[in-house]
Amino acid sequence: MTTAQLDWREPDNGDAVLAVRGACTMQHLPDLLTRIEALRRVPSMLDLSDLDALDSAGALVLLRLLDRPQHYRNATVRIAHARPEHQALIELVAERAGADPLPVQARSSWHNWMVQFGEATSGIAAHAWELAGFFGTVNHCFWSILTGRRKLRMTSVVHHMERTGLDAVPIVSLLCFLVGAVVAFLSATALRDFGASILTVEIVSVSFLREFGVLLSAILVAGRSGSAFTAEIGSMRSREEIDAIQALALDPIELLVIPRLVALLIMLPVLAFIAMLSGIIGGVLVGAMALDISPTMFLVRMQDTTELYYLWLGLLKAPVFAFLIACIGCLEGLKVSGSAESVGRHTTSSVVQSIFLVIVFDALFAVLYMKLDL
Amino acid sequence: MNVTVDATVISVRGLSNRFGAQVVHEGLDLDVRRGEVLAVIGGSGAGKSVLLRSIIGLQEPAAGTVHVFGTDLRSAESSVRASIERRWGVMFQDGALFSSLTVLENIKVPMIEQHKLPVDLMDELARLKIALVGLPADAAYKLPSQLSGGMRKRAGIARALALDPEILFLDEPTSGLDPLGAAGFDELIVTLKRSLDLTVFLVTHDLDSIFTCCDRVAVLVDRHVVAVDTPARISEHPHPWIQACFLGPRGRSAERALTLRTQEA
């Protein structure tokens, strides 16, 4: 089958008749369109007696050749000698096509930009309000569990403790071990010029006890478990499972959020402690291998200079971070609507928000500890 | 182009499908002729959708052959395969629209991927398909999540029709629709088939659809097709499942409706 060919025919009455031959289907349309571009005048009639094949795209192009969208229906009479099936298709297309496109609101880019900026700002405010509300809801539910009016789902708690805590031990300890080694190396390089390499011990132990242990494990847990919370609850939401829970007179907060929250509240301090140990082990190893600080010396020096309460200052932050991560992860999951795309968007948003808030709260803690002279 | 009315466009021979120990199809034979609406019926879990997936190549059969337009898709080269895949359109059960694109963009996806056409022509063509399947014009700019189930199915058909296919596969088009919506869908299938010269392969368990819009019915029971015939004649088939299905209360009322309608006409 060949591409459609266009030939002018000149009947006696002076009409501009265009004969279309060959196949006028979507596959051949690009060629046909270039031929139509090359036409120097608008045909008043089309002769389809030699047309082999026609599909709806081809029919639409022929109608466009004759008239504007609003007039397709009148244009059909100016098509001659079409085969019955082609005629039927052209009439169908003429009848259904030519719906006016919806007017697109044209606005200046400046205006658009302002609108976007305003929407984003009010979105952030609304979001903070929502998050605060959710914290309240969760606390209320938590309180009614403590007072015995609702049940704590122990099976679910243990399950999530395993997934968010135990399963995260290898990655958290490896990562903190490496960061501990890097911190030891960096501080040793800077301090060697002053002959104070031994201060590496304090830097590693203090930074890991007060900051890095809990911060690194919180960031890892936000990426690992916060995102999992959002994706799990989000896909439950998009399959109407959350609605089913509510319809069964159960509370999704009690059933889904509290077990995850409790699991994280227990496991994040444990993970933070493991992270502190691995970081310090990393420092000990670098000290022994590269800095001539023997492990015994490292430990003795650590005992002399590092206060025990640093450990508590660090671990105190863990439950706060756990609360933030669990609440944001679950709230974003509950906010998912319908589509699979929405699950992805909320998962991203959950991880970004939890890491952001974890760092903000870490900074707040640093200021607080400084003001308290701790 | 082959214009013989009785030509076979899909031919399935000795098809077997297994999922682990569970045998879904065994020695299944089926022919679909050009220009007909063929419905495949069978109980839930009888393997109707699996049959559809085997024909369009989404399910690798354990044995047997599937010829579409006389070509065996499994042994065909990928270019031949692609050119045949362009000649059919598939509507999945819930439309399977791309959730991040509007309905208009969904319909334009196959056009953009397969043919280089000017944007305004594609827009107009996509709006034509939307009008063809009976969706309101403003549905074009909506996301699939903003549509009702019936509208999503219609939009799914519009996307299946984007490249003017010769065969249209429909997976349970009327399931989950209200009776009026389902009747509208049956009408749509008949209209589309007549005006666009389609062959329709329909998976359903809606007896009303079978009596309203189908030329032939294939009954899929006990892992193979036990009978293929016109809706009026199939109910006389002695197979117990067919008897139970067509002579049950639902089958009788659907058939009665058909008789009434033919009397009116």
Side-chain angles (χ1 to χ4, degrees), chain A residues 350-365:
Chain A
S350 147
V351 174
V352 171
Q353 278 180 64
S354 1
I355 293 181
F356 172 79
L357 279 186
V358 160
I359 292 176
V360 167
F361 270 74
D362 191 60
L364 290 179
F365 268 112

Side-chain angles (χ1 to χ4, degrees), chain A residues 25 32 38 64 157 160-161 190 198 239 259 271 298 306 336 359:
Chain A
T25 55
L32 180 64
R64 278 160 70 110
V157 170
H160 286 294
M161 276 170 70
I198 192 69
R239 278 180 294 156
L271 281 178
F298 195 106
T306 313
V336 164
I359 292 176

